[in-house]
Amino acid sequence: ESVKNVLTSPENRILIKRMLIKCADISNPCRPLQQCIEWAGRISEEYFAQTDEEKRQSLPVVMPVFDRNTCSIPKSQISFIDYFITDMFDAWDAFADLPNLMQHLDNNFKYWKGLDERKLRSLRPPPE
């Protein structure tokens, strides 16, 4: 019933649509773990390439944390989840009840934390 009340206002519907689009855009940490890892790698590689090109052209480096020689992918994912994802998806979950997405988010955060605690900087632990 409260969702119906929120949806009666055109302004609220626009806000909800904007939030949905934003959440969809940055939702990688809410995917199943293997997809999350795959896309974290692709995104990181895109940022590494940008940093490489900025250095090659002697431009200011926009994202110095994405220097491929020093970057910790687990730390970057932890920071991204802490600063952008958690609060946004907590709010979205309160509105739309998304237990599967929230469980993936929790699992993925624990995965990245585990790599970071082992001082690993890569997407995956080394084969044992």
Side-chain angles (χ1 to χ4, degrees), residues 45-59 61 63 66-69:
E45 185 53 44
E46 180 182 328
Y47 293 160
F48 291 154
Q50 177 180 331
T51 299
D52 292 345
E53 186 64 16
E54 289 165 349
K55 287 180 174 183
R56 190 183 69 70
Q57 293 188 29
S58 299
L59 295 170
V61 175
M63 294 183 292
F66 281 98
D67 182 317
R68 71 176 68 246
N69 300 311

Side-chain angles (χ1 to χ4, degrees), residues 2 21 23 25 54 59 70 77 85-86 97 108 116-117:
S2 64
I21 290 167
C23 284
D25 183 42
E54 289 165 349
L59 295 170
T70 58
Q77 292 301 299
I85 301 299
T86 300
D97 190 28
N108 294 336
D116 186 49
E117 287 167 0

Side-chain angles (χ1 to χ4, degrees), residues 4-15:
K4 286 182 185 177
N5 290 337
V6 169
L7 293 175
T8 59
S9 159
E11 295 83 17
N12 286 349
R13 284 196 303 273
I14 290 170
L15 177 63

